[in-house]
Each structure stands twice: as structure tokens, then as C-alpha cells.
Amino acid sequence: QVQLVESGGGSVQAGESLRLSCAASGNTFSTYAMGWFRQAAGEERECVAGVSRINKTYYTDSVKGRFSISRDNARNTLALQMNSLKPEDTAVYYCAATSHGLVISIAPSQYDYWGQGTQVTVSS
């Protein structure tokens, strides 16, 4: 069992930055592939970024060049650095873990554990 706790959300102006963090419990963090998902009101949950257990990364097109995902296996933490934020980035952001550690899946159904979510609001 893995527990995930996100932090770092908030309200910012367009163009500003936020850094989300996800703290994981247990001693198996390094074996999981991790993902950051977001869900805007009335929208489906989408994968924003992912990182495999061997540090391969994935970004959805809309955040490439602006967001950066990283993991620290020694501290059991996952981060998402979000720069040049846009109003369309407004959503609840979730971190998620999958035991399929070598594969970065963009499908929420492939993830075994989820955090509670943190709100990011970007105003113009």
C-alpha cells in the first residue's frame, strides 16, 4: 500500500510559477512509475506528465517546455515544476503511482494509487 500526499497548489497570475510536491509512504517508491494528472471542472482526468522508474519522462503537448517532472527516490518525493502558467492550466492536480514501473501510461485506469489532489488556479 502506498499513500500519496500532494502539496504546493494555489492561486497565481498567468505567467507565474508553482511547484507541486507529492510525498509517498513506504519503501517501494523507487519501483513505481509516477504520474501527474489534472482534472478541470467538467473535464476528464488527463495525464500531464509522467516519469518511469528509470527516469524516462513524458509530457502532454500542452505543457512541453513549461512543466518539468522529477523524482527523488531517496526522499520518496515527486515534483512538478510548472512555469509560465496559463488560465487553461487551472485544475485539480493529482499524483499517482503504478506498479508497472517501466511504462509511463497516460491512462488513469493503469494507476494503482492516487493522492487527494491539490487545486491550481491561474487567473488572467
Side-chain angles (χ1 to χ4, degrees), residues 63-84:
V63 308
K64 284 180 180 176
R66 300 189 298 121
F67 289 14
S68 178
I69 189 171
S70 60
R71 66 188 301 161
D72 185 338
N73 291 336
R75 299 185 178 186
N76 279 14
T77 58
L78 179 74
L80 185 68
Q81 178 66 41
M82 306 186 294
N83 298 328
S84 303

Side-chain angles (χ1 to χ4, degrees), residues 20-117:
L20 304 183
S21 295
C22 175
S25 65
N27 58 5
T28 56
F29 177 79
S30 64
T31 68
Y32 286 87
M34 302 296 297
W36 283 104
F37 287 75
R38 67 185 179 189
Q39 189 165 20
E43 303 288 333
E44 293 188 351
R45 194 168 295 192
E46 68 164 340
C47 184
V48 174
V51 57
S52 74
R53 72 180 192 190
I54 57 172
N55 265 326
K56 288 191 174 181
T57 58
Y58 160 85
Y59 298 96
T60 193
D61 285 346
S62 63
V63 308
K64 284 180 180 176
R66 300 189 298 121
F67 289 14
S68 178
I69 189 171
S70 60
R71 66 188 301 161
D72 185 338
N73 291 336
R75 299 185 178 186
N76 279 14
T77 58
L78 179 74
L80 185 68
Q81 178 66 41
M82 306 186 294
N83 298 328
S84 303
L85 282 161
K86 303 176 180 181
E88 51 263 44
D89 295 318
T90 295
V92 178
Y93 284 70
Y94 301 87
C95 71
T98 174
S99 57
H100 303 291
L102 292 175
V103 178
I104 302 172
S105 175
I106 63 171
S109 61
Q110 294 300 306
Y111 287 77
D112 306 299
Y113 304 103
W114 292 86
Q116 82 287 352

